[in-house]
């Protein structure tokens, strides 16, 4: 099974599902040089967000930890430990970054590629 991320124009194959360890992230380089942090949680749900930490400016979110707050799936940054809601990308700890920008991660559409049908 192939994991795909939509880059705004089309779905792109990025890895196989078997290459994603539940609970661990991988960094994916998209054709426009954007870095995406891709995760598979223990229930098999896929998440894709920008890999760039808005507070530190470092491309490290693929090394973050998956967790939850209540029913919401979350990502904890490895830098300053801000927690992001994976359903909408917003930071649950702070509304803005030190430069005043909104503390929100871009979420990327992610899916398993549709199965090929035999002719």
């Amino acid at each position: 099974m192939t994991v795909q991320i939509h880059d705004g124009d089309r779905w792109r194959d990025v890895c196989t599902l078997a290459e994603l360890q539940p609970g661990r992230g991988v960094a994916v380089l998209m054709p426009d040089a954007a870095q995406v942090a891709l995760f598979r949680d223990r229930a098999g749900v896929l998440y894709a967000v920008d890999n760039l930490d808005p507070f530190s400016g470092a491309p490290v979110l693929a090394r973050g930890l998956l967790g939850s707050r209540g029913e919401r799936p979350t990502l904890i940054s490895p830098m300053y430990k801000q927690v992001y809601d994976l359903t909408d990308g917003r930071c649950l700890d702070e509304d803005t970054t030190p430069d005043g920008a909104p503390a929100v991660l871009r979420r990327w559409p992610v899916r398993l590629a549709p199965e090929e049908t035999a002719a």
Side-chain angles (χ1 to χ4, degrees), residues 5-115:
I5 295 176
H6 200 277
D7 66 5
D9 292 321
R10 67 184 188 92
W11 289 101
R12 302 229 180 229
D13 294 348
V14 294
C15 66
T16 66
L17 185 61
E19 292 174 300
L20 291 176
Q21 276 190 311
R24 303 197 102 180
V26 296
V28 175
L29 184 61
M30 297 300 286
D32 66 352
Q35 288 190 32
V36 176
L38 177 62
F39 297 90
R40 174 182 173 197
D41 71 12
R42 297 195 187 283
V45 179
L46 299 172
Y47 300 98
V49 297
D50 277 341
N51 193 38
L52 192 68
D53 181 309
F55 288 87
S56 69
V60 296
L61 291 179
R63 294 179 180 256
L65 298 173
L66 293 183
S68 64
R69 281 203 183 160
E71 297 295 314
R72 295 198 170 275
T74 59
L75 172 63
I76 303 166
S77 170
M79 292 301 288
Y80 302 125
K81 311 303 183 235
Q82 281 86 4
V83 178
Y84 296 91
D85 183 334
L86 287 171
T87 63
D88 61 13
R90 70 185 169 88
C91 181
L92 298 176
D93 300 321
E94 301 180 50
D95 293 331
T96 59
T97 62
D99 67 1
V104 178
L105 299 176
R106 176 181 176 186
R107 293 174 47 242
W108 294 74
V110 60
R111 69 178 186 183
L112 289 178
E115 294 293 322

